Amino acid sequence: MDLTLSHCFLPIDDHDEAIAFYHEALGLDIRDDVSAEDMRWVTLGSPNQPGVNIVLEPPVANPDAAESDRRAITDLMAKGMLGRLDFATDDLDSTYRRIRATGAEILQEPIDQPYGVRDCAFRDPSGNMIRISETRA
């Protein structure tokens, strides 16, 4: 069996803010923007990985979700505990400076980790954690 990742879904609460962050700060391409039933899905991806898509979706994409589930998801998003993406780069310090200049919330400045990477972390406008790492030689 040969499996490859094609799509991953990330809950966001404001598509326009998220597009600005992912497209302008991270440099991802906007591949699709679809609306249906008062909901919106925006697909983005790295030009270097045309087969991998990140879909920014409503926090609750199920119209039949219970109100208690909607509140729980909103609470988890506010705490930054619901979504996360990890990216790799060959120049972490430059990438960090570019993203920091956009005003993104910094969770961790670049540091060398004991497991062989140098990494940093940000929050996107919806509170999701974004980690970026560079493998140390």
Side-chain angles (χ1 to χ4, degrees):
M1 179 177 5
D2 184 19
L3 293 176
T4 59
L5 178 66
S6 69
H7 292 76
C8 60
F9 291 77
L10 190 67
I12 54 98
D13 53 18
D14 184 313
H15 283 81
D16 294 326
E17 281 184 346
I19 289 169
F21 177 78
Y22 286 98
H23 179 64
E24 296 168 21
L26 296 185
L28 300 180
D29 292 338
I30 300 169
R31 297 182 177 162
D32 208 356
D33 191 336
V34 176
S35 295
E37 298 182 27
D38 296 325
M39 291 184 273
R40 184 176 176 194
W41 291 264
V42 175
T43 304
L44 305 124
S46 168
N48 299 323
Q49 290 181 298
V52 178
N53 297 285
I54 300 165
V55 182
L56 306 177
E57 68 174 346
V60 182
N62 179 348
D64 298 324
E67 187 57 37
S68 59
D69 291 338
R70 292 177 187 281
R71 281 193 306 274
I73 289 169
T74 300
D75 290 346
L76 288 170
M77 280 185 67
K79 295 175 184 177
M81 298 178 68
L82 198 55
R84 173 178 166 171
L85 293 174
D86 288 29
F87 292 95
T89 183
D90 59 1
D91 187 352
L92 181 69
D93 293 321
S94 164
T95 302
Y96 170 80
R97 286 190 300 273
R98 187 182 78 241
I99 297 169
R100 182 187 64 197
T102 69
E105 180 184 351
I106 300 167
L107 295 177
Q108 173 199 306
E109 295 183 2
I111 60 170
D112 292 334
Q113 299 289 3
Y115 42 87
V117 301
R118 180 172 173 74
D119 69 359
C120 65
F122 296 90
R123 282 204 197 285
D124 76 5
S126 295
N128 297 301
M129 181 187 296
I130 307 301
R131 294 197 71 82
I132 304 171
S133 65
E134 175 183 359
T135 302
R136 292 188 316 214

